[in-house]
Amino acid sequence: TLLNDILGLGIALTLTCAQDYPHPFRSHVNRSLIIAWFFLGVSLVSSLAVFHNYNYTPPRQYAYFLFSVYIVFVAVSITNEIM
């Protein structure tokens, strides 16, 4: 699936840049993107810490933690879109 993501983003960004050439590609960072980056960072850093500390066999409670992080992310994202 990583190959699909890399190819999909690579092709889409290449076509966008080719259409806008010679103007630079502009990306807008909005609040939704910042929220997504924050929760991605929380999950990645916590995974790094937990997998390292538990010898790459995380406890079941960590799965519950990740589910709760996802639920909070969805709630914050929905609240952000409503406001």
Side-chain angles (χ1 to χ4, degrees):
T1 60
L2 183 61
L3 179 63
N4 291 337
D5 292 340
I6 292 171
L7 285 176
L9 286 172
I11 292 170
L13 289 173
T14 300
L15 290 176
T16 301
C17 289
Q19 289 174 351
D20 290 342
Y21 184 78
H23 303 293
F25 176 72
R26 301 244 185 244
S27 177
H28 302 286
V29 178
N30 57 15
R31 188 180 303 163
S32 297
L33 190 56
I34 293 171
I35 291 169
W37 282 344
F38 173 76
F39 281 99
L40 177 64
V42 168
S43 66
L44 288 177
V45 169
S46 65
S47 293
L48 180 68
V50 169
F51 275 77
H52 177 72
N53 289 335
Y54 287 95
N55 200 19
Y56 298 97
T57 55
R60 183 179 301 266
Q61 292 82 13
Y62 183 61
Y64 299 140
F65 169 75
L66 286 178
F67 282 127
S68 65
V69 168
Y70 179 69
I71 289 168
V72 172
F73 166 67
V74 169
V76 170
S77 295
I78 290 172
T79 304
N80 180 49
E81 290 298 321
I82 290 173
M83 297 184 127

